[in-house]
Amino acid sequence: MRANALWFLSISALLGPLGCEPQVSGGDCPDPRDPEVRYVSHDPEECALIDFDCSPPQTLFSDECGCGCLGPEAPACPDPSDPEVHYVSRDPRACEAIDYACSPPQTHFFSECGCGCLGPEAPACPDPSDPAVHYVSRDLRECELLDFACSPPETMFVNECGCGCIGSEAPACPDPSDPDVRYVSHDIEECHLIDFICAESQTQFVNECGCGCLDPDPSVGHARQGT
């Protein structure tokens, strides 16, 4: 009898360190052989000290069986080496605090992998050194609040680069020494913010030269200067 007891104890000591899978022993614990079951630990006391998260759509469990995640694994993370994948952060917690926008045609993504933008990069910003390009603001949020207009044949642009006007060609600047030309400002950015009017017989101009008023036929003024 004593020999049988010693044999039982030796078997128990052997199985104890090896551990028995909960489902194999007939318990109600999640089966670790199930591909949708992932144990972080089988020790409930250790589980109380472990800080871990499950990737959606998985759900977390922590009970007398241990702790881990239940459910299908999350899809693979966007490949950072892909030129159409642009991570803002790899930390989901940091992503919750980051305010950012994706430039069309890119789309936003946020998951356990992090956050960022998917899709081709936006076209290059209009070159501010180009005389046909006139920025009103480089701040996209400010652009959403500004009310401005572009003088034909200029076209308006509002994108992740900012906002302003783009002309086909840079016209010759009105001669400020001409008595038929009256400049309100030579600063194009200021011009887009100024509300001014011209005399009934004059026409308004706003371009890369500035803004102001012109007589109906400026050439008349040049003719008078030549006489």
Side-chain angles (χ1 to χ4, degrees):
M1 182 72 176
R2 181 178 176 80
N4 289 339
L6 290 173
W7 177 83
F8 177 78
L9 288 173
S10 64
I11 293 298
S12 299
L14 177 63
L15 292 178
L18 292 178
C20 293
E21 300 295 0
Q23 191 68 21
V24 174
S25 63
D28 294 327
C29 295
D31 184 355
R33 297 170 300 182
D34 187 332
E36 294 194 1
V37 174
R38 179 173 67 86
Y39 274 88
V40 174
S41 174
H42 289 278
D43 184 347
E45 293 184 2
E46 183 182 21
C47 287
L49 303 175
I50 297 174
D51 183 15
F52 70 96
D53 289 319
C54 296
S55 303
Q58 293 180 329
T59 58
L60 184 148
F61 73 91
S62 182
D63 51 32
E64 69 279 0
C65 301
C67 55
C69 300
L70 299 175
E73 289 187 2
C77 294
D79 182 1
S81 65
D82 186 333
E84 293 196 358
V85 175
H86 317 285
Y87 276 91
V88 174
S89 175
R90 302 291 188 87
D91 184 347
R93 295 180 182 178
C95 287
E96 293 176 354
I98 296 173
D99 184 13
Y100 71 96
C102 296
S103 304
Q106 292 179 334
T107 57
H108 173 275
F109 76 89
F110 179 89
S111 66
E112 70 282 356
C113 304
C115 55
C117 301
L118 298 176
E121 289 187 357
C125 294
D127 183 2
S129 65
D130 185 338
V133 175
H134 320 294
Y135 277 89
V136 174
S137 176
R138 302 292 187 88
D139 186 337
L140 184 56
R141 295 181 181 178
E142 184 180 19
C143 286
E144 294 173 353
L145 302 175
L146 290 174
D147 183 13
F148 70 96
C150 297
S151 300
E154 290 182 325
T155 57
M156 179 185 294
F157 71 90
V158 180
N159 54 33
E160 70 283 357
C161 305
C163 55
C165 302
I166 298 179
S168 54
E169 292 184 4
C173 293
D175 183 1
S177 65
D178 188 331
D180 294 321
V181 176
R182 180 174 66 86
Y183 274 88
V184 174
S185 175
H186 289 279
D187 184 340
I188 182 61
E189 294 188 2
E190 182 181 19
C191 285
H192 286 298
L193 302 175
I194 294 174
D195 184 14
F196 69 95
I197 59 174
C198 297
E200 185 175 350
S201 61
Q202 294 179 317
T203 57
Q204 185 183 87
F205 72 90
V206 180
N207 54 35
E208 71 281 359
C209 306
C211 54
C213 302
L214 297 174
D215 266 0
D217 187 3
S219 63
V220 175
H222 291 293
R224 283 203 301 267
Q225 283 186 319
T227 57

